Structure formats: C-alpha cells, structure tokens
Amino acid sequence: MRALYINSGTASLRNLPRPRRPAGWARIQVLASGICNTDLELLRGYYGFRGVPGHEFVGRVLETDAGDDRWSGKRVTGEINLTCRGLGYIRLCDLCARGLASHCRRRKVLGIVNHPGAHAEEITLPVCNLHAVPARISDHAAVFAEPLAAACQVLKQVRFAPRDRVLVLGDGKLGLLLAQVLHRELRKTARTVLLAGHHREKLALARRWGVDTRLSGARLGRREWDVVIEATGSPTGLAEALERVRPRGTVVMKSTIHGMLQAATAPWIVDEITLVGSRCGPMDQALRLLARGVEVESLIEDVLPLARALQALRQAARRGSRKILLALDA
Amino acid sequence: MRALYINSGTASLRNLPRPRRPAGWARIQVLASGICNTDLELLRGYYGFRGVPGHEFVGRVLETDAGDDRWSGKRVTGEINLTCRGLGYIRLCDLCARGLASHCRRRKVLGIVNHPGAHAEEITLPVCNLHAVPARISDHAAVFAEPLAAACQVLKQVRFAPRDRVLVLGDGKLGLLLAQVLHRELRKTARTVLLAGHHREKLALARRWGVDTRLSGARLGRREWDVVIEATGSPTGLAEALERVRPRGTVVMKSTIHGMLQAATAPWIVDEITLVGSRCGPMDQALRLLARGVEVESLIEDVLPLARALQALRQAARRGSRKILLALDA
C-alpha cells in the first residue's frame, strides 16, 4: 500500500506491505487524515521518529476477528493511545490499573510512538480503540475528532467557576477549536471567553462562531484572567500566559514546545498559580460535539490525495496555514 | 527602639523611632520572632529590600484605638499580608473584592514589602490582621504559626485522594513542618507520606513524629508519586519533583527560588502534570494545630536576644541549621 514515510527528517511516499492485523484488532481503510503540527515536528526530527505519521483520521473497518461483525464496514475514528488493554496484556501496568490508561507505561501512539499512522491507505488498531462515527458527521469533519477531543480535555481538567474570564492564547488550529468549544460550553456561565491571536482572518473566523477576539499585542491586561489556555505553539507563550493570569488563577499548557523553557518560577509561587499540562482528550465527547454542529470544516484549507502528501506537508508548514487533509475522495 | 535593619545587603542593629500606630491598628510588643530563609534572601539583596525584616512573631498588644479594648494585653500573632481592608481602603481592589485578599493589589507584607517587620522591639499591624494565641501555646511555639500556616495551605490547595502516595522533598524547616502536618492530617487516608532529605538528624526528628523518611539520592522511583511537595529550597528541586511525580499527578511548589528555571516543558504536558504554586496559608488552622500538639519546639536550634540578631542571622545561614529565634526572654 502507499504511505507517507518519515526517516531521519526526510519524508517520502513509499510502497509498504499492508499492515498485519493481530487478533482483537481491526484493519481499517483510511478515508481521510489530517496533518497536525506534531507530524511536522516528527519531520523536524523530534523523537527520532522513523515510520508512517498520522493520528487524526476517519476510516472504514475492513476486517476484524472472524465471528466479530460488530464493526465490519463501520465508519470509525480511534483513540490514538494503544494501552495495556488494547495491546493484549492481561496484567495491566500500574497506570492502566488506576484508570490512567492514556498514560499507560507500555503506551504506543498511532503515528507517533511505535505504531504506523494514518497517512497511509490502511492502518490497524485494537477494536477497543474504535469509535463509530455518526452518519451526520462528514468524513472531513470526523478527522477533527482527535484535536477536538484534545480541546475538550480542558473542560475535564479545569473547574471553571461562574463569571470566569477565560483567555485562549493562539489562533492556530488548536486555539481555534479551544475557543469554539469553550465558548459553546461556558457561554452560560463564563463572563468572557476571548481568543487572542496574530491572524486577522482566523480571528474573523472565530468571531463568526460568536467568540470574542483580540489581536495579540493589544492590551490584554496583566494578572487579570481567571484561566489562560496557552496554545500559541511558541516558546514564549507560557511566559505570556503567566503574565496574563490573575493570582491563584490557572494556566493550561497545550503547546508541547521542544527545547528549554527559561523562566523565573518565584512569581508563579508568590501568585499561587496552578499550571496544568493537557494532552489527549475524550473522543466520545468530541464526536457528540461534532454531531451537535461544532463547526470545523471552515478550518480546512485544502484537501489533497495521499499521492500529493509531500505537497500537503509543505503547505501545512507554512506560517498561518489552516488544516490540510489527505483524503481518498480528493 | 532597637531593631534589626537591612540596607543594601548589610544588616545592622539600629535605634529607630517607635512605630506610629494608625487608627484601627495595634501597636505590639514583640515577645519572640523567628528567622526565616526569606530574611536571609532579603539580606542577600533580593527585592532591593531596605528596612526591618521579620514576619514570624508572637507579641503582646500594647495599644489599640481608644474605646476598643478587645485586644489590649492579649498575646497575638498576625497575618503578614496587609490588604485593602487593613490598609483602610473603603473601595477594595478587584482581588480583595473576589476573596483573594492575600494577593491584594495594594499588598504590603510585614517585614518583606513596605512594612517594618518583627525583628524589633515593637511592630504595628491592623487589628483585623491579629490572631489571639491560646494560652497552651508557648511563645516559642507560637512563632511557628506563620510557617505552619504555609504548610497548611497545601491541604487547602490539593485535593488528596484516598491511598495517595505523598512525597515531601526537602528536610529544611518548611519541609519538616509539611511532613508533620501532612502525616497528621492524611494518616487515615493516604497510603504513604514520605519525607526525603539530606540530613540524617532531621530525618530522625521526623521519624519521631511518625513520618516515613528516606535519604535523598536513595531510590525514590520515577513517575510514581501522586503528589510531590517541592520544599528543597534548591534550584534543582522542581526538576526532581517532576521526575518523581506520576502522570496526571500534582507537584506543589513551595520553594521561592530566585533566578531562572531551565526546564523542558514538553514532558509536563505529555504527562499532564499539575503544578501548584503555594505561599501563605490559614493562620487559624495553624494555631489550632499548635494547640492540639503539633510539635515544633524540637525544630528550634537556638534562642537569642534581639541584641545578638547579627549572630542569629549568621547562625541561621549555616547549611542545615534549624530555626533560630530572637526572644525577649533569651
């Protein structure tokens, strides 16, 4: 099968053998996949990655265990973390055993850590990782289930209070999803959900969803916001978040920046700030939101066939680009 | 009156005018005060401090407003943060108005920020800052109300779960108080409260209180502890705490280190760690604990008269020293 392959920081299209399906797993035809900033970081050589990237996808189940026809032909997306249960261990690791499966000590991650990803014609995943995609969600929208789940994770981790002022820093793809989700879910309780970013056209998009926006660099105030979500993708984002948040407020760290942070920690301590690292989230909630009309298709910049994956990567790497999809129907 | 005075990183004993008492304030004779690491940092020139240090104290009220005899002659300790209410502002700042008075925007801090401290014969404080000291608490023990309150703050900020494994890093004065308080308050629910430090004799002290201890450098495990309290006072303490805490665990930052932290933030985010800055705490709770027998007098290394405050500072600055008090009865 055709697949995008990264080796030592170089991407190429390759012909690879179709993936072997272990018992209890599904073989899935990829209908569409999304290029994520993480894919670009893999290409830049982080994690010493070698393999097929891609972890945002929608597909159709081609094959499962004989006698198990619950999933055959179903349109699915999937949890990207492969954990003790899916990997077939009978004795769970301590983290799986205490309900922290997304941090499993044996964790593999679709298209990121030791498991071939979705920028390919086919993938395999444990059946317990699958989520059926409701018919009303388009293929293109379903690709957003994974990043949307990462946005929903903030709702699980932070106890928002009535009248909170919430600031999302960064109008990249994740920042836009975060702003939309938080605006929808908190609009009856929060005082403000404001998105601050550098791109006028992206902020205009967020305003269409009803989100308040402001150009970065405008006056956002010091030590004022109850909750600040750092999604800038920039090494200076955390310092800005810490400047904006009020004493005893919360900063959610969404940008996995590579390289070192340099910061004075004393002000966080004196101001009793809570910093929360935040990663993958609940895909069931994301699919419910997509079914209820969270708007993601306007985030798509282009849809290309897998054969043009190298061009897609270049396009996704351009500053200010929106989401690039690879799709069977492109 | 005599007072310890710091100016441009130099300490001296001075004769100063007695403090003027504004209306609504108390003038207090200091019975004993404790030398805190913060005092030593003021002496090293942090904050550009100039004035009388000292924020851990017990005293006797000499004078309040005419007609207000609730406090006259009472033995007291006090909240160290002077906020809108105490400072006499009728219109509260936004932080006081929302119940975050200890982060008041107009905040002065006894012996630290713009208000003369307790290493002196007398101090003044707003009456609303005072706490009566129950008779069963000795003068020497009462000096610990402030640092003990800082330890209690962790109980307010962290939601401990049953069966938690709790690690306190650092066997300095605050680490010892933290270990004792957490051991007492969590012993019926937590699986472990362990104190790790470098000083055998301090660990032995903690063991007398029933706390489990381990010498730092011994095997403390990686990514294992549910809650890690960083109280090492060392610039490398936070990195160690982040290494010890389990995914989705909590690190409480108690060491206000000056200088820059250098750290890779990506692992915090991938592991979804929560970092909580923690400072002053509830003095009423601290006084209740002292009355119920939290043991602090064994933390005292020496008690000197104010006249020997310079020697006391030198003694407190020695590595591994315990608490040095200045006291009227020494």
Side-chain angles (χ1 to χ4, degrees):
Chain A
M1 66 167 186
R2 301 285 277 175
L4 178 65
Y5 197 88
I6 291 177
N7 187 0
S8 310
T10 307
S12 59
L13 271 174
R14 290 201 182 176
N15 277 312
L16 299 176
R18 288 190 188 284
R20 226 174 41 77
R21 184 190 67 80
W25 290 46
R27 190 162 60 84
I28 300 159
Q29 178 189 31
V30 177
L31 300 173
S33 62
I35 293 177
C36 170
N37 286 339
T38 302
D39 300 340
L40 301 174
E41 296 195 336
L42 297 178
L43 183 56
R44 286 185 205 114
Y46 297 119
Y47 310 105
F49 182 83
R50 187 167 64 182
V52 179
H55 56 278
E56 304 174 355
F57 79 97
V58 61
R60 190 169 299 282
V61 175
L62 296 174
E63 186 192 357
T64 53
D65 289 354
D68 177 2
D69 55 2
R70 292 169 301 166
W71 290 99
S72 287
K74 285 257 170 34
R75 207 161 56 115
V76 296
T77 184
E79 301 283 340
I80 71 173
N81 294 296
L82 284 69
T83 68
C84 287
R85 199 166 136 243
L87 293 169
Y89 289 94
I90 290 168
R91 195 191 172 104
L92 303 182
C93 76
D94 59 320
L95 293 171
C96 281
R98 68 206 293 176
L100 297 168
S102 69
H103 296 279
C104 170
R105 297 213 190 251
R106 296 168 174 135
R107 185 164 66 102
K108 300 181 177 187
V109 187
L110 177 70
I112 300 174
V113 183
N114 294 328
H115 189 66
H119 298 322
E121 288 178 57
E122 292 186 14
I123 59 170
T124 58
L125 271 183
V127 163
C128 64
N129 280 47
L130 301 184
H131 291 271
V133 175
R136 84 196 72 160
I137 303 176
S138 73
D139 283 355
H140 291 180
V143 172
F144 286 85
E146 198 280 331
L148 194 59
C152 292
Q153 180 70 353
V154 174
L155 292 166
K156 284 185 67 174
Q157 293 179 292
V158 177
R159 281 187 298 172
F160 290 94
R163 313 286 303 148
D164 265 356
R165 299 182 67 209
V166 180
L167 174 64
V168 178
L169 287 178
D171 57 4
K173 294 173 281 288
L174 184 55
L176 284 164
L177 289 176
L178 278 160
Q180 186 178 181
V181 166
L182 294 173
H183 169 70
R184 278 179 73 105
E185 299 298 305
L186 302 177
R187 69 176 167 235
K188 286 182 187 151
T189 56
R191 181 140 51 124
T192 325
V193 174
L194 184 92
L195 174 68
H198 285 290
H199 305 93
R200 283 177 197 280
E201 70 292 353
K202 291 188 174 182
L203 297 178
L205 182 59
R207 279 196 299 279
R208 277 199 267 141
W209 301 329
V211 176
D212 287 333
T213 68
R214 208 166 297 171
L215 266 181
S216 295
R219 295 167 72 91
L220 290 168
R222 284 194 65 244
R223 299 171 82 218
E224 284 207 355
W225 297 83
D226 299 288
V227 181
V228 180
I229 325 281
E230 197 289 290
T232 62
S234 152
T236 60
L238 183 56
E240 179 177 358
L242 288 163
E243 186 186 325
R244 304 291 179 216
V245 71
R246 68 156 165 89
R248 233 177 261 170
T250 299
V251 170
V252 181
M253 303 187 284
K254 270 291 181 194
S255 307
T256 40
I257 299 301
H258 294 272
M260 301 293 274
L261 166 79
Q262 284 219 10
T265 54
W268 317 351
I269 298 174
V270 170
D271 275 357
E272 297 191 309
I273 305 304
T274 295
L275 287 100
V276 182
S278 179
R279 188 167 47 95
C280 300
M283 295 197 70
D284 46 356
Q285 186 179 4
L287 287 165
R288 276 198 304 276
L289 286 177
L290 286 170
R292 277 197 234 130
V294 160
E295 207 284 298
V296 293
E297 303 211 14
S298 56
L299 289 171
I300 299 171
E301 177 174 305
D302 212 346
V303 184
L304 299 171
L306 180 59
R308 290 168 65 193
L310 299 181
Q311 178 195 332
L313 281 177
R314 282 192 298 274
Q315 206 166 324
R318 281 206 304 252
R319 197 177 138 77
S321 72
R322 283 173 294 145
K323 181 65 81 184
I324 312 294
L325 301 188
L326 300 173
L328 205 58
D329 63 3
Chain B
M1 65 168 187
R2 301 285 278 173
L4 178 64
Y5 197 89
I6 291 177
N7 187 0
S8 309
T10 307
S12 59
L13 271 173
R14 291 201 183 176
N15 278 311
L16 299 175
R18 289 190 187 283
R20 227 177 39 81
R21 185 190 66 80
W25 290 47
R27 190 161 60 84
I28 300 159
Q29 177 189 32
V30 177
L31 301 173
S33 62
I35 294 178
C36 169
N37 285 339
T38 302
D39 299 341
L40 301 174
E41 297 196 333
L42 298 178
L43 184 56
R44 287 184 203 113
Y46 297 120
Y47 311 105
F49 182 83
R50 187 167 64 183
V52 179
H55 56 278
E56 304 174 355
F57 79 98
V58 61
R60 190 170 298 283
V61 175
L62 297 174
E63 185 193 358
T64 53
D65 289 355
D68 177 1
D69 55 2
R70 291 169 301 166
W71 289 99
S72 287
K74 285 257 170 35
R75 208 162 53 114
V76 296
T77 183
E79 301 282 340
I80 71 173
N81 294 296
L82 284 70
T83 67
C84 287
R85 200 166 136 245
L87 293 169
Y89 289 94
I90 290 167
R91 195 191 172 105
L92 303 182
C93 76
D94 58 321
L95 293 171
C96 281
R98 68 207 295 177
L100 297 168
S102 68
H103 296 279
C104 169
R105 298 213 190 250
R106 296 168 174 134
R107 184 164 67 102
K108 300 181 176 187
V109 187
L110 177 70
I112 301 176
V113 182
N114 295 329
H115 189 65
H119 299 323
E121 287 178 58
E122 291 186 13
I123 59 170
T124 58
L125 272 182
V127 162
C128 64
N129 280 46
L130 301 184
H131 291 271
V133 175
R136 84 197 71 161
I137 303 175
S138 73
D139 283 355
H140 292 180
V143 172
F144 287 86
E146 197 280 332
L148 193 59
C152 292
Q153 180 70 354
V154 174
L155 292 166
K156 285 185 66 174
Q157 292 179 292
V158 177
R159 281 188 298 174
F160 289 94
R163 313 287 304 146
D164 265 356
R165 298 182 68 207
V166 180
L167 174 64
V168 178
L169 288 178
D171 57 4
K173 293 173 282 288
L174 184 55
L176 285 164
L177 290 175
L178 278 160
Q180 186 177 181
V181 166
L182 293 173
H183 169 71
R184 277 178 73 104
E185 299 298 305
L186 303 177
R187 68 176 167 236
K188 287 183 186 148
T189 56
R191 182 141 50 124
T192 325
V193 174
L194 184 91
L195 174 67
H198 286 290
H199 305 93
R200 283 176 198 280
E201 70 293 352
K202 292 188 173 183
L203 296 178
L205 183 60
R207 279 196 299 278
R208 276 197 268 141
W209 301 329
V211 177
D212 288 332
T213 67
R214 206 165 299 169
L215 266 181
S216 296
R219 296 168 71 91
L220 290 167
R222 284 195 64 244
R223 299 171 81 218
E224 285 207 356
W225 297 83
D226 299 289
V227 181
V228 180
I229 324 283
E230 197 289 290
T232 63
S234 151
T236 61
L238 183 56
E240 179 177 359
L242 289 163
E243 186 185 325
R244 303 291 179 216
V245 72
R246 68 157 166 89
R248 233 177 261 170
T250 300
V251 171
V252 180
M253 302 187 285
K254 269 291 181 194
S255 307
T256 40
I257 299 302
H258 294 272
M260 300 294 273
L261 166 80
Q262 284 220 10
T265 54
W268 317 350
I269 299 174
V270 170
D271 274 357
E272 297 191 309
I273 305 303
T274 295
L275 286 100
V276 182
S278 179
R279 188 168 47 96
C280 299
M283 294 198 73
D284 46 356
Q285 186 178 5
L287 287 165
R288 275 199 304 276
L289 286 176
L290 287 170
R292 278 197 232 128
V294 160
E295 206 285 297
V296 294
E297 303 210 16
S298 56
L299 289 172
I300 299 170
E301 178 174 305
D302 212 346
V303 184
L304 299 171
L306 179 59
R308 289 168 65 195
L310 299 181
Q311 178 195 334
L313 281 177
R314 282 192 298 274
Q315 206 166 324
R318 281 207 304 254
R319 198 178 137 76
S321 72
R322 282 174 295 145
K323 180 66 80 184
I324 312 294
L325 300 188
L326 300 173
L328 205 56
D329 62 3

